[in-house]
């Protein structure tokens, strides 16, 4: 605690003591006695995140206790604090979810989604495509699901959401077009089953929402739908050499990244089939991410973390978001990122022009544009590299 914090604490106690002296009790008149006040400084502790994600000019993270924090731009209420406008330069807890333990959250373009331990699904931010506001709203449709088929995963994309259950049912809602993977004539603001490639009769284990298309892992394969993936009907991607662990999508550019149980990383541009990512064929890929470019940008950025705790990046480096040190240009081949000392990549939050990586120890680093404080370091200074951990402090 700084001297300034100690002075404020002492002043607060002094005010409290003076206020209590205004109306002395009878006991105080009979026995003056003595009052002793011991003021102790409380040290701040690190706030450690177990997950992070990034949208367009804002970020979010959640901790092991289920607390959700957001920071950055708030022009559509996407920070979830009940207000619209302005920016938060530091991670700030979403108080509306304080009574619920968040186990997963995702940042879309300007709207977000969270899954709580009780199976509750909450959305907030831009009202485009959903019944949202600046404070988290519980999606009541999922409260009617059987207890053994609760929602286990959620994602947010370009003004729409995906949620899937323990039994593999995949739901979409939001902007009424082909990115929902179902008949847009159905109620768009309420969840309905995705029907692309017969997904309403198949078991989905993971899904990802991009800006203009979505993907799902099912039956050892990958289905895509929306822009570039045969619209509502969808397309089944070909060229997968083994079992699939998860998928990542790049919204707006029609790109999809797929990594397999064998550690192989593949890429599809629209529904034309998957090909190996050049430059990583000898690396065992553990996970990957791809950004959702802002309007007017043609190329996404790509990231992959591989065995040996290595992080790689390629693609658009708009704003320095790849974390390679250079602020502009396109990086053609996967390049190794210099990580902060002692850190190991566990998760990537790929935003429009900024990126976060969550380290195994719960700290995070960030790179890219910081105009709205989306890096969370208390400034609006851009950063082109990941070599510095950003401390987040709280008082217990």
């Amino acid at each position: 605690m700084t001297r300034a914090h100690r002075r404020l604490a002492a002043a607060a106690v002094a005010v409290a003591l003076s206020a209590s002296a205004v109306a002395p009790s009878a006991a105080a008149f009979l026995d003056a006695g003595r009052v002793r006040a011991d003021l102790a400084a409380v040290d701040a502790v690190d706030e450690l995140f177990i997950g992070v994600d990034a949208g367009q000019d804002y970020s979010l993270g959640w901790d092991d206790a289920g607390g959700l924090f957001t920071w950055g731009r708030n022009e559509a209420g996407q920070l979830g604090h009940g207000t619209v406008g302005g920016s938060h330069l530091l991670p700030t807890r979403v108080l509306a979810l304080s009574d619920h333990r968040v186990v997963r959250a995702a940042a879309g373009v300007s709207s977000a989604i969270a899954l709580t331990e009780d199976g509750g699904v909450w959305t907030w931010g831009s009202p485009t495509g959903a019944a949202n506001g600046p404070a988290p709203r519980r999606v009541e449709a999922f409260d009617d699901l059987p207890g053994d088929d609760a929602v286990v995963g959620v994602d947010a994309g370009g003004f729409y959401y995906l949620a899937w259950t323990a039994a593999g049912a995949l739901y979409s809602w939001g902007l009424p077009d082909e990115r929902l993977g179902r008949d847009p004539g159905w109620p768009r603001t309420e969840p309905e089953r995705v029907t692309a490639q017969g997904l309403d009769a198949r078991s989905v284990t993971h899904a990802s929402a991009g800006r203009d298309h979505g993907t799902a892992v099912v039956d050892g394969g990958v289905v895509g739908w929306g822009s570039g993936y045969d619209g509502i009907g969808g397309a089944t991607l070909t060229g997968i050499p083994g079992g699939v662990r998860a998928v990542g999508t790049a919204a707006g550019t029609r790109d999809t990244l797929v990594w397999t149980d064998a550690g192989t990383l593949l890429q599809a541009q629209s529904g034309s089939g998957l090909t190996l990512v050049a430059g990583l064929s000898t690396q065992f890929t553990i996970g990957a991410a791809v950004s959702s470019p802002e309007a007017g940008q043609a190329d996404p950025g790509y990231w992959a973390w591989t065995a040996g705790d290595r992080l790689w990046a390629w693609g658009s480096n708009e704003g320095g978001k790849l974390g390679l040190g250079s602020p502009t240009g396109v990086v053609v081949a996967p390049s190794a990122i210099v990580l902060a000392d002692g850190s190991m990549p566990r998760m990537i939050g790929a935003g429009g022009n900024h990126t976060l990586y969550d380290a195994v120890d719960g700290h995070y680093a960030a790179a890219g544009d910081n105009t709205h404080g989306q890096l969370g370091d208390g400034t609006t200074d851009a950063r082109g590299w990941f070599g510095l951990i950003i401390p987040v402090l709280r008082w217990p």
Side-chain angles (χ1 to χ4, degrees):
M1 179 179 285
T2 64
R3 292 181 179 177
H5 285 110
R6 293 191 180 96
R7 287 197 297 270
L8 288 172
V13 173
V15 170
L17 289 175
S18 63
S20 64
V22 172
S25 66
F29 285 112
L30 296 175
D31 182 3
R34 291 187 300 176
V35 176
R36 177 180 175 180
D38 291 324
L39 301 181
V42 178
D43 293 329
V45 298
D46 285 344
E47 175 61 53
L48 302 178
F49 294 135
I50 63 171
V52 294
D53 202 10
Q56 191 163 298
D57 302 327
Y58 76 105
S59 307
L60 54 81
W62 59 100
D63 61 23
D64 189 49
L68 180 67
F69 297 76
T70 59
W71 58 99
R73 192 176 186 180
N74 193 43
E75 95 288 354
Q78 60 264 55
L79 298 187
H81 300 304
T83 62
V84 175
S87 299
H88 286 213
L89 304 186
L90 294 169
T92 305
R93 183 159 188 176
V94 178
L95 297 179
L97 292 175
S98 294
D99 294 334
H100 302 271
R101 185 172 182 269
V102 173
V103 296
R104 170 68 186 170
V109 172
S110 56
S111 57
I113 189 170
L115 173 64
T116 52
E117 190 175 43
D118 62 353
V121 175
W122 307 73
T123 66
W124 62 94
S126 172
T128 301
N132 281 342
R137 176 190 72 91
R138 187 161 180 144
V139 183
E140 296 180 356
F142 291 114
D143 293 335
D144 297 328
L145 295 177
D148 59 351
D149 192 29
V151 174
V152 295
V154 295
D155 202 12
F159 308 108
Y160 79 106
Y161 299 109
L162 296 176
W164 56 100
T165 72
L170 178 64
Y171 296 83
S172 68
W173 68 106
L175 201 64
D177 64 9
E178 60 187 15
R179 75 193 74 188
L180 296 184
R182 59 179 174 86
D183 186 346
W186 296 351
R188 63 180 177 86
T189 59
E190 293 299 324
E192 296 286 350
R193 293 284 296 270
V194 175
T195 59
Q197 295 292 289
L199 288 179
D200 53 334
R202 303 165 74 180
S203 180
V204 171
T205 57
H206 186 274
S208 183
R211 184 185 289 265
D212 296 312
H213 78 288
T215 56
V217 177
V218 56
D219 304 331
V222 176
V223 168
W225 64 89
S227 180
Y229 291 81
D230 291 341
I232 295 172
T236 297
L237 301 186
T238 60
I240 301 175
V244 178
R245 294 179 59 184
V247 291
T249 63
T253 61
R254 303 179 180 181
D255 284 37
T256 298
L257 290 180
V258 175
W259 53 102
T260 72
D261 290 336
T264 303
L265 182 64
L266 305 106
Q267 178 180 358
Q269 293 183 324
S270 73
S272 58
L274 291 156
T275 59
L276 287 172
V277 174
L280 283 179
S281 59
T282 62
Q283 304 290 330
F284 188 98
T285 301
I286 298 172
V290 40
S291 68
S292 297
E294 294 188 8
Q297 296 179 14
D299 300 312
Y302 307 89
W303 295 262
W305 50 106
T306 62
D309 302 319
R310 305 188 69 183
L311 182 61
W312 307 78
W314 67 101
S316 171
N317 198 25
E318 187 77 25
K321 65 186 176 188
L322 293 184
L324 295 171
S326 173
T328 58
V330 175
V331 178
V332 177
S335 301
I337 292 175
V338 176
L339 303 177
D341 290 344
S343 67
M344 296 176 287
R346 173 172 57 185
M347 179 183 293
I348 289 287
N353 280 333
H354 77 290
T355 311
L356 316 175
Y357 85 78
D358 186 31
V360 172
D361 63 0
H363 292 95
Y364 82 93
D369 182 69
N370 197 27
T371 303
H372 302 279
Q374 58 263 46
L375 301 188
D377 62 0
T379 76
T380 55
D381 300 330
R383 178 182 295 120
W385 62 301
F386 280 127
L388 180 67
I389 288 292
I390 297 176
V392 181
L393 302 177
R394 64 178 174 85
W395 278 262

